[in-house]
Amino acid sequence: FSISSAQIVCQNKAHLTVAVVAWKTPQKRPRTGLCSHWLSKLDPSGGATLGVWVSEETLNLPPPQVPLILVGPGTGVAPLRAFLMHRHYQIQT
């Protein structure tokens, strides 16, 4: 799972992008990813609360007038979604 929201937009919430991991062992026993499976069973309309910690920003976007080309090999769409959310906020304010 990855955080896929911009803190400046969502403030005290974090959106997650989750790929549920499931496979079979060589002995054909089903297995699932511990966290992705648990997250997939939560009811988003139920207001699930998870404990998290926040660290300082490690990536910074250029100013809004600078075009972006977003490529995420290995990272998936989550950080790209957060960048686009942040950029949209920058342009609107």
Side-chain angles (χ1 to χ4, degrees):
F1 68 94
S2 297
I3 294 176
S4 57
S5 56
Q7 186 177 12
I8 197 166
V9 176
C10 299
Q11 298 177 7
N12 63 345
K13 296 180 181 177
H15 298 182
L16 298 179
T17 298
V18 180
V20 179
V21 179
W23 73 97
K24 289 189 179 185
T25 67
Q27 294 79 28
K28 308 292 185 217
R29 286 185 266 185
R31 296 284 185 246
T32 59
L34 179 64
C35 192
S36 66
H37 179 73
W38 182 79
L39 287 170
S40 74
K41 299 299 179 194
L42 293 176
D43 177 8
S45 65
T49 301
L50 306 172
V52 298
W53 65 94
V54 178
S55 59
E56 293 196 28
E57 293 180 23
T58 56
L59 299 172
N60 295 304
L61 287 174
Q65 61 273 18
V66 176
L68 294 175
I69 297 176
L70 302 174
V71 179
T75 64
V77 300
L80 306 183
R81 181 181 183 270
F83 284 155
L84 290 173
M85 187 181 285
H86 189 106
R87 174 56 59 91
H88 184 261
Y89 175 84
Q90 286 178 317
I91 292 169
Q92 297 300 315
T93 57

